[in-house]
């Protein structure tokens, strides 16, 4: 199953996805934003935010269609947030049957068992972080691994359900229909249980069976579905609402110790804030965490167009209906749904004050007040942005105030208009500023040159940079096959050298052409003279005088050409 993809977009000066990414797992190169998969927690906020829809998720709809057409036993695990997505939940389930699925089972039936495991683990350990959200797990494992010991060691309802279905129907294919792409990533981490995933709206793309097929499919479904113990309500249908895990787990209202604190936190920022404000989970805390604000009902594929309160009301209403299969899922093999967690964090890279200052200086941020921390580059502070540049995730010029100041400066306009390549070089011989003509002359992206030694462009032995010296020299650049007059002068006010290249290549080529033309003309004149002389010798008496005159004229012309 594929995950997040991105396509080429006009990202220059946008940076919205970087701004919205809670863990800055996006790198920016050559005017393109790219997701760094190993840093990503799959919250999909960047997908929702991109004005150009540059980030997409590969759809499994074609794969599901092929499964159905092959006549395989395909069972749906339907996430409980579906009831918020549609005004007619029973009609939605019927629609799935009419697409050819042999059973449509609600993931909530496994969530009931998951909650029983949570309750038992909480009683045993006295504190617990629970989550059905793979984004929260990714965040903790990658960015806050000190919290992994507190995570409940039970599979999410999706994985528990898929495992149970595979155990009971070994030949079946399991298709999860849900509100969230991160579930794909979760399923990939334990391969072999979930065969494909559809979002709620993708179900609409599946063609309906013919009337005849429908009758036989319904009969087959009735035969396949066991008569489970009827259960009047499925509390776990509340799982997708913030607080639903707590409510399902402690639905009996049984006596809890006085120290018990049941807390639900949703929204990745809120989860982060809470985790960073605690040193350890206090005794008695039962935490429920969801990356999406309000819970899975507001997942990235749960229907943005529907108001969250309406979704919530629909789910509360649907909970009143008995489960279609009346199932309280018996998890005979509890060990099957146990899981563990590991520290997947990267060792933090620390940059020195000097390194950061150097980057800030290149952006003209010499004083504290120059650091506007405006966030236009996607980073919260200029310092964060400088660190991203050092980490190779951001490009230096991604600074709107800097770009604006540059664009507005008259000197800059002049620099950009001149055909000469102009390079400003620090006293340490590092390139501080270049105009566009530098990129043209050296066939490179001129912005990439900032911070590099001048020697990268011009061999040090070819040009002397010294405050007291005004250097000027004609240089040939063999790799570029170009010639230029290179001059360098020191600007004491700026403590910079100005190196200017005046490109002579075209001029030299023209002169070369002219030289070749002259040579050709001279050779031609010589041939005419020789020819004339030969003829003259043969008929000297008759035409002697005229030939002598022609020879004088041509010899004169030849001398003139050679002298020029
Ligand atoms: S999916 Fe989330 S974590 Fe990953 S790059 Fe996008 S915003 Fe960042
Ligand atoms: S949101 Fe990101 S991917 Fe989309 S256009 Fe802006 S910079 Fe590019
Ligand atoms: S809270 Fe959001 S990201 Fe997490 S599982 Fe639910 S829909 Fe997916």
């Amino acid at each position: 199953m594929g995950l997040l993809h991105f396509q080429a977009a006009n990202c220059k000066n946008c940076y919205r996805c970087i701004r919205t990414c809670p863990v800055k797992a996006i790198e920016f190169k050559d005017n393109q934003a790219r997701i760094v998969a190993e840093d990503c927690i799959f919250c999909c906020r960047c997908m929702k935010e991109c004005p150009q829809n540059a980030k997409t998720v590969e759809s499994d709809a074609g794969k599901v269609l092929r499964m159905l057409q092959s006549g395989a036993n395909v069972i749906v695990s339907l996430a409980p947030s579906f009831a918020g997505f549609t005004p007619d939940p029973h009609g939605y389930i019927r629609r799935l049957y009419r697409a050819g699925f042999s059973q449509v089972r609600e993931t909530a039936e496994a969530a009931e068992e998951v909650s029983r495991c949570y309750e038992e683990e909480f009683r045993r350990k006295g504190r617990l972080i629970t989550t059905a959200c793979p984004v929260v797990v990714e965040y903790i494992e990658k960015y806050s691994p000190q919290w992994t010991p507190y995570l409940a060691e039970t599979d999410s309802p999706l994985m528990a359900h898929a495992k149970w279905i595979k155990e009971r129907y070994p030949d079946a294919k399991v298709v999860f229909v849900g509100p969230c792409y991160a579930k794909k990533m979760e399923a990939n981490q334990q391969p072999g249980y979930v065969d494909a995933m559809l979002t709620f709206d993708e179900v609409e793309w599946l063609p309906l069976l013919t009337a005849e097929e429908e009758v036989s499919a319904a009969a087959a479904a009735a035969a396949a579905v066991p008569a489970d113990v009827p259960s009047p309500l499925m509390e776990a249908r509340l799982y997708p609402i913030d607080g639903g895990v707590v409510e399902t787990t402690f639905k009996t209202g049984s006596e809890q110790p006085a120290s018990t604190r049941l807390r639900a936190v949703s929204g990745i920022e809120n989860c982060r804030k809470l985790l960073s404000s605690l040193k350890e989970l206090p005794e008695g805390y039962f935490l429920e965490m969801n990356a999406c604000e309000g819970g899975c009902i507001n997942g990235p594929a749960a229907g943005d167009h529907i108001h969250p309160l309406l979704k919530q009301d629909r789910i509360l209403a649907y909970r009143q209906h008995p489960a279609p299969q009346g199932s309280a899922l018996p998890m005979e093999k509890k060990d099957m749904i146990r899981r563990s967690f590991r520290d997947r964090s990267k060792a933090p890279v620390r940059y020195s004050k000097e390194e950061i200052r150097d980057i800030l200086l290149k952006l003209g941020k010499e004083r504290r007040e120059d650091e506007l921390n405006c966030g236009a580059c996607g980073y919260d502070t200029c310092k964060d942005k400088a660190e991203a540049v050092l980490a190779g995730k951001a490009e230096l010029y991604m600074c709107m105030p800097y770009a604006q100041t540059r664009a507005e400066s008259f000197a800059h306009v002049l620099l950009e208009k001149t055909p000469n390549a102009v390079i400003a070089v620090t006293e340490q011989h590092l390139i501080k500023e270049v105009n566009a003509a530098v990129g043209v002359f050296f066939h490179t992206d001129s912005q990439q040159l900032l911070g590099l030694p001048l020697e990268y462009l011009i061999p040090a032995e070819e040009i002397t940079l010294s405050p007291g010296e005004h250097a000027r020299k004609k240089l040939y650049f063999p790799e570029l096959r170009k010639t230029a007059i290179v001059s360098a002068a020191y600007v004491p006010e700026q403590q910079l050298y100005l190196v200017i290249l005046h490109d002579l290549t075209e001029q030299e080529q023209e002169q070369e052409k002219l030289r070749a033309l002259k040579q050709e003309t001279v050779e031609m004149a010589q041939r005419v003279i020789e020819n004339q002389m030969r003829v003259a010798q043969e008929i000297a008496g008759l035409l002697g005088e005229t030939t002598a005159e022609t020879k004088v004229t041509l010899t004169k012309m030849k001398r003139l050409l050679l002298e020029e």
Side-chain angles (χ1 to χ4, degrees), residues 42-43 132-135 179-180 182-183 290-292 295-296 298-300:
F42 304 98
C43 66
C133 174
V135 177
C180 170
K183 298 279 188 191
N290 284 299
C292 293
C296 294
N298 299 319

Side-chain angles (χ1 to χ4, degrees), residues 4 17 20-26 34-36 39-47 55:
L4 280 177
C17 53
T20 199
C21 178
V23 291
K24 304 296 177 229
I26 294 175
R34 294 187 186 88
I35 293 175
V36 183
D39 295 344
C40 175
I41 56 172
F42 304 98
C43 66
C44 296
R45 277 163 61 161
C46 56
M47 273 183 70
K55 295 182 174 69

Side-chain angles (χ1 to χ4, degrees), residues 92 138 145 156 248 286 358 391 499 552:
Y92 191 86
E138 285 289 297
S156 69
T248 307
F286 180 98
D358 198 36
V499 179
V552 168

Side-chain angles (χ1 to χ4, degrees), residues 502-519:
H502 177 62
D503 191 352
L504 293 178
T505 314
E506 264 186 37
Q507 209 175 319
E508 296 258 310
Q509 282 167 350
E510 283 305 315
Q511 279 177 358
E512 186 52 41
K513 266 193 222 159
L514 204 60
R515 260 198 300 277
L517 193 65
K518 279 182 195 168
Q519 186 61 34

Side-chain angles (χ1 to χ4, degrees), residues 180-419:
C180 170
Y181 305 108
K183 298 279 188 191
K184 265 193 173 188
M185 176 271 302
E186 182 188 13
N188 283 352
Q189 288 173 347
Q190 292 193 61
Y193 298 107
V194 182
D195 297 283
M197 191 209 126
L198 294 178
T199 53
F200 295 137
D201 55 354
E202 281 176 326
V203 168
E204 287 303 318
W205 304 351
L206 298 175
L208 296 173
L209 297 175
T210 60
E212 224 170 82
E213 286 169 331
E214 236 181 88
V215 172
S216 64
V225 179
D228 288 329
V229 184
S231 148
L233 293 180
M234 257 207 269
E235 294 293 337
R237 280 177 175 160
L238 296 181
Y239 252 59
I241 301 176
D242 192 14
V245 174
V246 168
E247 200 162 330
T248 307
T249 307
F250 300 96
K251 62 188 166 201
T252 56
S254 58
E255 197 74 11
Q256 295 295 326
S259 61
T260 301
R261 298 278 178 276
L262 305 177
R263 296 278 184 273
V265 191
S266 68
I268 192 71
E269 296 301 346
N270 294 330
C271 295
R272 282 175 62 159
K273 271 187 208 147
L274 180 72
L275 293 179
S276 61
S277 67
L278 296 173
K279 279 212 165 52
E280 60 168 28
L281 197 62
E283 182 73 31
Y285 265 70
F286 180 98
L287 271 187
E288 168 195 332
M289 287 192 162
N290 284 299
C292 293
E293 201 118 10
C296 294
I297 51 167
N298 299 319
D304 272 352
H305 55 291
I306 311 165
H307 195 283
L309 289 178
L310 178 58
K311 291 187 210 174
Q312 203 166 316
D313 286 348
R314 285 176 177 174
I315 286 174
L316 292 173
Y318 182 64
R319 186 177 62 135
Q320 304 304 326
H321 293 274
Q325 290 140 341
S327 170
L329 187 67
M331 275 289 170
E332 303 91 351
K333 301 181 181 173
K334 283 224 175 74
D335 281 351
M336 200 170 74
I337 62 165
R338 276 181 69 82
R339 68 163 300 183
S340 56
F341 304 92
R342 63 193 170 92
D343 180 347
R344 289 194 284 148
S345 62
K346 284 182 178 171
V349 183
R350 304 252 178 258
Y351 298 101
S352 69
K353 276 186 186 163
E354 290 69 33
E355 286 174 301
I356 292 170
R357 193 166 164 273
D358 198 36
I359 296 288
L360 293 173
L361 281 179
K362 283 181 184 163
L363 290 170
K365 300 184 189 311
E366 289 164 17
R367 298 157 306 160
R368 199 78 167 158
E369 309 87 88
D370 297 329
E371 292 174 39
L372 299 181
N373 301 328
C374 65
C377 57
Y379 293 88
D380 293 339
T381 65
C382 300
K383 185 170 164 282
D384 289 352
K385 152 77 190 316
E387 287 183 335
V389 171
L390 289 165
K393 275 187 165 177
E395 291 190 333
L396 187 63
Y397 65 84
M398 289 163 53
C399 173
M400 298 304 274
Y402 170 68
Q404 197 178 353
T405 311
R406 263 177 46 129
E408 282 168 2
S409 113
F410 179 62
H412 179 71
V413 173
L414 269 184
L415 272 181
E416 289 308 309
K417 293 291 172 202
T418 175

